[in-house]
Amino acid sequence: MDAPRWLDAREARAWRGYRRMRRLLDLELARELMQDAGLSEPDYDVLSDLSETPDQRLRLSELADRMLWSRSRLSHHLARMQQRGLVTREEHPSDGRGSIVVLTPAGRAAIEAAAPGHVAAVRRHLIDLLTPEEIDALAALTQRVVDRLSGRPTATEG
């Protein structure tokens, strides 16, 4: 077994800074979203994913994959969203085992009401603090990490 490659001071500062920023940013965005729109982050994710599809519906399994959740966990969350009238579920027409999650008019209204404030919060707490070059660098590094974690080769790996 190889000896651990400990982080040097510069790397540790970057890692700790990223972790602290992520926690604070996630906390503040979630707090503002709940306060301003009455939606949790998972509510917002479900509604925005559905609203961005042409027919405002997705298979439950595809939505779970997008959210990185198990189907069971998403199913429980969707039951609560159904009680609030934000989504409905339909049986898949060709696969009786699968279900389709559908955005309701109330769900559409909720995401349309929440989106402007949420985008303003994202701008206020992150985007507007960065230069255009830093935004490009952030986009590149997040894509590289996402590609690595998704099993796709990164640009630096060829």
Side-chain angles (χ1 to χ4, degrees):
M1 186 163 119
D2 293 337
R5 286 184 51 219
W6 299 111
L7 301 179
D8 64 28
R10 183 173 139 253
E11 293 166 336
R13 190 177 117 246
W15 174 243
R16 287 187 186 105
Y18 162 76
R19 290 189 42 103
R20 180 81 174 142
M21 178 203 69
R22 192 191 78 213
R23 285 187 214 122
L24 289 170
L25 185 59
D26 287 350
L27 183 66
E28 186 60 23
L29 292 175
R31 188 191 66 73
E32 289 185 28
L33 188 59
M34 182 57 72
Q35 178 181 318
D36 297 344
L39 296 175
S40 67
E41 285 183 300
D43 291 341
Y44 189 89
D45 290 342
V46 167
L47 296 176
S48 65
D49 280 353
L50 291 172
S51 73
E52 293 170 358
T53 64
D55 55 355
Q56 302 187 354
R57 59 185 57 226
L58 283 169
R59 283 185 73 117
L60 187 141
S61 58
E62 182 179 347
L63 186 56
D65 289 345
R66 287 180 180 209
M67 293 181 66
L68 305 175
W69 279 18
S70 70
R71 287 190 281 277
S72 174
R73 179 179 180 192
L74 179 58
S75 186
H76 287 292
H77 187 78
L78 291 173
R80 292 186 295 275
M81 291 181 75
Q82 279 182 273
Q83 291 173 344
R84 293 163 45 213
L86 301 173
V87 298
T88 59
R89 288 169 62 169
E90 300 174 353
E91 189 173 299
H92 191 281
S94 63
D95 179 3
R97 295 175 301 144
S99 65
I100 305 291
V101 183
V102 182
L103 185 66
T104 65
R108 168 57 89 184
I111 192 66
E112 287 176 353
H118 185 59
V119 169
V122 169
R123 284 197 160 284
R124 184 171 54 257
H125 299 304
L126 179 65
I127 299 299
D128 290 346
L129 302 175
L130 305 175
T131 66
E133 294 78 18
E134 289 169 329
I135 291 171
D136 291 341
L138 179 63
L141 87 87
T142 56
Q143 188 60 57
R144 188 177 324 137
V145 172
V146 167
D147 287 349
R148 166 65 67 85
L149 295 174
S150 301
R152 296 186 297 262
T154 65
T156 59
E157 294 174 330

